Amino acid sequence: MASVLTLFSVYLMLFSTSCFTTINGVFSEQFPMDISTKRMEKLTRLHFYFHDTLDGTNPTAIRIAGPSKRSFGTIMMSDDPLTEGPEASSKLVGRAQGIYAFASQHDIGLLVVMNFAFLKGMYNGSALSILGRNPILDRVREMPIVGGSGVFRYARGYALAKTVSFNQKTGNAVVEYNVSVLHF
């Protein structure tokens, strides 16, 4: 028993002045949030176009699961180009990589789990993450930005999506995105 108390005393001496704590037996380190002027939160606004291509020899979105006779339950995997303009030939700025699923039985509402991975300029190597509902028949849809990486570390914000063109025969779509994101 004396050795346990001695170890406990050493533990208290070593760690009593730091910000370490034990939670449910897991050792973790806590830091007080001190935001200096060098790490001011920024608001960034991005504007780009998303090209979802389901047909042809090189589709950018494919069906990976779901029933064959109805949309509800269908899950799509995508690696869609993000461009500066609405034309497919416009300058590539990134890729929309993730999953969207037809999650509503009452309207065409998608569950979107997507990363916007940027490939050019000051955002090269950075990404924004979306997780939310996309009711695609609405003129403008709002989806939450729930995180990010690189330049967009600790990101939060929203994305406004507006369909520019949709081909009912092929399912191909071009969607305009206006994104507002807060990050450090």
Side-chain angles (χ1 to χ4, degrees):
M1 182 69 170
S3 64
V4 172
L5 287 176
T6 304
L7 287 173
F8 184 71
S9 298
V10 170
Y11 176 80
L12 285 177
M13 280 185 348
L14 290 173
F15 297 107
S16 63
T17 59
S18 66
C19 296
F20 291 102
T21 186
T22 301
I23 301 171
N24 297 327
V26 177
F27 194 69
S28 66
E29 188 175 4
Q30 297 178 347
F31 297 98
M33 289 297 287
D34 182 22
I35 301 173
S36 70
T37 55
K38 293 178 185 175
R39 300 277 301 161
M40 292 288 294
E41 194 168 46
K42 301 174 206 67
L43 171 64
T44 298
R45 291 198 169 105
L46 302 167
H47 179 255
F48 50 83
Y49 293 84
F50 167 101
H51 299 264
D52 200 38
T53 305
L54 305 178
D55 73 335
T57 57
N58 193 24
T60 62
I62 60 169
R63 182 172 172 239
I64 58 172
S68 58
K69 294 186 180 178
R70 55 189 276 194
S71 294
F72 175 70
T74 298
I75 302 170
M76 304 290 288
M77 179 69 70
S78 69
D79 183 12
D80 294 328
L82 301 175
T83 63
E84 281 186 348
E87 304 81 20
S89 60
S90 184
K91 180 181 175 184
L92 182 73
V93 295
R95 310 282 312 174
Q97 298 169 329
I99 296 172
Y100 58 90
F102 290 82
S104 176
Q105 294 187 61
H106 309 287
D107 61 5
I108 304 177
L110 303 178
L111 164 66
V112 177
V113 181
M114 190 81 55
N115 289 315
F116 291 149
F118 297 101
L119 305 171
K120 301 289 183 193
M122 67 185 294
Y123 306 119
N124 184 26
S126 298
L128 290 171
S129 299
I130 290 181
L131 173 63
R133 185 173 193 275
N134 183 355
I136 61 174
L137 295 181
D138 289 0
R139 187 175 164 274
V140 177
R141 290 91 62 196
E142 181 176 331
M143 291 169 279
I145 302 293
V146 297
S149 63
V151 171
F152 298 116
R153 192 173 293 143
Y154 292 113
R156 66 188 191 284
Y158 63 93
L160 297 176
K162 180 179 174 184
T163 302
V164 173
S165 65
F166 175 72
N167 184 316
Q168 287 186 339
K169 182 180 176 187
T170 63
N172 297 346
V174 176
V175 180
E176 179 181 21
Y177 272 87
N178 284 292
V179 176
S180 294
V181 61
L182 290 168
H183 59 97
F184 289 100

